[in-house]
Amino acid sequence: MAERPVRVRIAPSPTGDPHVGTAYVALFNYAFAKRHNGKFLLRIEDTDQARAKSSSEGQIQKTLHWLGLNWDEGPDCGGDHGPYRQSERLPIYLKHAEMLINSGHAYRCFCTQERLGDLRIQQRQQGLPPGYDRFCRSLSEDERKQKQKEGVPFVVRLAVPTDGVTSFHDELRGKVEFENHRIDDQVLLKSDGFPTYHLANVVDDYLMKISHVIRAEEWVSSTPKHVLLYKFFGWEEPKWVHLPLLRNADRSKISKRKNPVSLEYYRRAGILPEAMTNFLALMGWSFGNDVEIFSLKQMCEKIDFKDISLGGPVFDLVKLTWLNQQYLQKLSEDEFVRHVREEVFSEAYIRAIKPLAIERIAKFDQFVDQNAFFFNGELNYKGVELSSPDPTKGKSKAEVKEMFKELVEILDECYVWQLEDLKNIMETHRAKIGWKPKDYFMPVRLAVTGRKDSPPLTETMVVLGREMVRFRLRDCMKSEAVN
Ligand code: GLU
């Protein structure tokens, strides 16, 4: 079969902060497209309406551009195979679900949430793996028609063969096989008419003429379902490439509890985009001859799947910082000045700080000292007293730490980073745990600014931004101030 023109994509779900994993996968797709004179697409997979965040798509676009991973087709720039936002493609998925129903490869399932819940409990009690028992697969034509006539809500499920195996060839792993009886009759279309990831992803990859699906390892177990869909539609499969998962230093899957995972954080922390792409390129791929420092362009000229190893690359912050230093030192005077002016002391940032700073300085030579925490990354919590040794006078270290833990979780979910929202969130949390304002806000203030005499706390948090606030609270939780 003739080789297809290379067309690859990054297909993020806009459910939160732009994640380093997204950049990692985008980087390999981008480099592969460039190497083969192909096209790199951005497709927004926003069909999980409950989890989609409106601000997230814009942030994903912004950070991918920051890294220089620009796409040829996407929701902002269009292309011949749009729309590139799945929520704008619903009729396409509906049509394809119906095609599968008509060919007998999918069926309507009318089971209620209650029945599915009972089933799960039964399966758990009997030590069986969870999964749909295919009850509706054997409904007679009359029963099905009757339910539809009554308007019983339904989902559409994939009719997975009950025996045999489904296999695919992964360009990095070779042959991967799954026994069909272990594959669930996956929901393809939900009762609200929205597709699930599986249907939308396959239909779009096909219609957008994707030649290689390059994505993270966590999707390996979904691939047999996708392979079945290609088979049932009678479509040629793309080539499959599952990149190794990024890991924390302790080899666990990368998570925000151990490392910041938001690209915005790294940008804020002063990592240069060239250092970040170089660092991500080293995750599993080797340039050859032990070369560690190379540009995106050089990677694009050399990328080859045969040079990727599967041994769980470690997202090592020490290494990232070292790499960044190499790039920082190579900046020309002009580049250095530009960076300090436009990133560290950007006009927009100074404007945001001004109303908070103005109250506290009489002369400009006090500005830097008073406001250093706006520009620093890590703070030093040595000797900072967040707790009270006397339980009658305040909270203990353990209590403060526990409160921070809860607050960080709450702030992780706070996507609208605005004054009123933040005030409400913290006030609600404080009231819930029943702490006096002083006991609650002083430790937060110290963790976030390192100072007792900071400008008003919530206003300061708004200016510092979500990433820095969350980072500092987490960082402080590791320090002796609360341990
Ligand atoms: N929407 C999926 C994600 O969030 C896409 C996975 C894929 O590339 O197939 O990563």
Side-chain angles (χ1 to χ4, degrees):
M1 212 175 295
E3 286 286 311
R4 298 156 70 180
V6 167
R7 289 177 58 81
V8 293
R9 63 8 177 225
I10 179 80
S13 303
T15 49
D17 301 318
H19 194 279
V20 286
T22 306
Y24 168 60
V25 176
L27 171 67
F28 280 79
N29 275 283
Y30 174 88
F32 186 73
K34 294 289 159 207
R35 167 102 159 91
H36 296 279
N37 290 321
K39 295 276 184 248
F40 172 52
L41 281 67
L42 171 67
R43 182 173 75 229
I44 299 294
E45 301 210 327
D46 58 349
T47 56
D48 189 345
Q49 291 290 294
R51 294 181 59 225
K53 309 269 179 318
S54 60
S55 57
S56 179
E57 180 189 327
Q59 272 169 3
I60 290 171
Q61 293 198 18
K62 197 172 99 188
T63 38
L64 289 177
H65 281 313
W66 170 65
L67 291 170
L69 304 175
N70 301 316
W71 45 96
D72 304 296
E73 298 172 28
D76 54 336
C77 56
D80 291 342
H81 302 84
Y84 294 89
R85 211 174 269 119
Q86 289 189 327
S87 57
E88 293 165 19
R89 299 172 63 83
L90 299 185
I92 302 178
Y93 310 124
L94 194 60
K95 182 179 115 195
H96 283 85
E98 272 161 11
M99 277 160 66
L100 290 174
I101 295 177
N102 294 338
S103 63
H105 293 303
Y107 60 95
R108 291 183 181 82
C109 166
F110 301 91
C111 289
T112 57
Q113 284 305 325
E114 197 186 346
R115 174 168 192 277
L116 297 175
D118 290 347
L119 182 64
R120 253 193 306 273
I121 294 170
Q122 264 175 33
Q123 286 167 333
R124 208 173 307 136
Q125 281 167 352
Q126 293 167 17
L128 295 170
Y132 181 57
D133 63 358
R134 303 186 160 131
F135 180 78
C136 289
R137 195 156 155 178
S138 49
L139 287 184
S140 71
E141 194 56 20
D142 285 347
E143 284 169 316
R144 185 185 58 72
K145 280 200 176 127
Q146 183 58 29
K147 298 227 183 238
Q148 275 189 272
K149 216 168 90 195
E150 288 165 15
V152 180
F154 62 86
V155 300
V156 176
R157 286 182 185 272
L158 181 65
V160 176
T162 47
D163 56 9
V165 291
T166 297
S167 65
F168 63 93
H169 177 82
D170 182 289
E171 299 294 309
L172 305 179
R173 292 170 176 71
K175 188 172 181 183
V176 182
E177 273 189 331
F178 284 82
E179 290 175 281
N180 286 338
H181 73 89
R182 293 188 192 282
I183 307 175
D184 203 15
D185 275 6
Q186 177 66 49
V187 173
L188 300 175
L189 202 69
K190 293 176 273 186
S191 52
D192 60 4
F194 274 74
T196 57
Y197 155 69
H198 305 278
L199 178 68
N201 185 271
V202 167
V203 166
D204 286 350
D205 281 347
Y206 173 73
L207 294 177
M208 296 180 184
K209 300 192 170 22
I210 297 303
S211 60
H212 296 70
V213 167
I214 306 172
R215 61 184 169 197
E217 186 179 339
E218 61 189 299
W219 302 104
V220 167
S221 58
S222 297
T223 306
K225 294 173 187 169
H226 301 181
V227 169
L228 286 171
L229 283 167
Y230 279 96
K231 192 168 141 201
F232 294 159
F233 281 122
W235 296 339
E236 184 189 345
E237 278 174 46
K239 291 208 164 37
W240 306 104
V241 184
H242 291 92
L243 296 172
L245 274 189
L246 302 182
R247 302 198 173 266
N248 298 307
D250 63 5
R251 303 241 141 223
S252 55
K253 182 182 163 188
I254 193 168
S255 77
K256 61 185 169 198
R257 294 205 165 67
K258 307 237 165 93
N259 276 334
V261 292
S262 155
L263 285 166
E264 237 351 85
Y265 166 74
Y266 290 100
R267 182 191 168 129
R268 239 347 226 96
I271 296 291
L272 293 162
E274 297 81 3
M276 186 52 120
T277 47
N278 189 158
F279 175 68
L280 291 172
L282 293 172
M283 302 282 107
W285 182 66
S286 91
F287 190 83
N289 298 330
D290 292 332
V291 174
E292 288 203 303
I293 300 183
F294 48 84
S295 67
L296 179 57
K297 188 159 171 283
Q298 286 172 307
M299 179 190 186
C300 294
E301 285 158 8
K302 251 185 134 271
I303 178 85
D304 194 326
F305 297 138
K306 76 172 176 12
D307 301 320
I308 296 179
S309 64
L310 293 175
V314 173
F315 196 91
D316 174 359
L317 294 184
V318 177
K319 176 93 183 226
L320 173 60
T321 307
W322 173 81
L323 255 180
N324 199 60
Q325 187 179 22
Q326 311 308 306
Y327 279 89
L328 197 151
Q329 286 174 352
K330 276 194 298 195
L331 293 179
S332 67
E333 193 177 300
D334 281 351
E335 287 166 337
F336 187 90
V337 170
R338 190 205 66 77
H339 192 94
V340 174
R341 279 221 177 118
E342 290 176 18
E343 301 287 338
V344 185
F345 295 110
S346 76
E347 188 180 326
Y349 197 46
I350 309 276
R351 282 186 190 278
I353 294 169
K354 189 237 161 196
L356 303 175
I358 198 88
E359 309 282 328
R360 288 174 162 69
I361 56 169
K363 295 192 291 152
F364 275 104
D365 64 2
Q366 297 160 336
F367 176 80
V368 173
D369 180 49
Q370 283 283 324
N371 296 288
F373 66 88
F374 278 119
F375 303 98
N376 293 339
E378 283 166 39
L379 300 179
N380 183 0
Y381 299 109
K382 225 181 161 112
V384 173
E385 276 182 27
L386 280 90
S387 56
S388 165
D390 177 352
T392 58
K393 298 229 171 76
K395 301 291 174 186
S396 69
K397 285 187 175 187
E399 285 171 311
V400 171
K401 190 172 176 181
E402 186 56 31
M403 182 271 270
F404 279 4
K405 197 169 144 216
E406 287 178 16
L407 179 60
V408 167
E409 298 283 326
I410 296 170
L411 295 180
D412 276 353
E413 295 302 316
C414 171
Y415 289 94
V416 187
W417 199 254
Q418 284 168 6
L419 193 62
E420 283 312 310
D421 298 77
L422 266 181
K423 277 201 165 134
N424 287 339
I425 283 174
M426 290 202 289
E427 192 43 44
T428 310
H429 181 220
R430 186 196 66 75
K432 188 178 136 229
I433 59 176
W435 285 25
K436 288 192 209 125
K438 185 171 124 293
D439 290 344
Y440 183 89
F441 290 111
M442 189 46 98
V444 176
R445 177 189 299 275
L446 284 165
V448 168
T449 69
R451 308 177 67 112
K452 273 193 178 135
D453 61 346
S454 79
L457 177 61
T458 323
E459 282 80 349
T460 304
M461 287 168 72
V462 171
V463 174
L464 275 172
R466 191 174 130 81
E467 300 319 316
M468 198 46 80
V469 168
R470 292 191 309 168
F471 168 76
R472 287 195 182 152
L473 284 167
R474 282 188 199 280
D475 196 41
C476 187
M477 279 162 65
K478 291 187 219 146
S479 77
E480 62 180 40
V482 292
N483 286 292

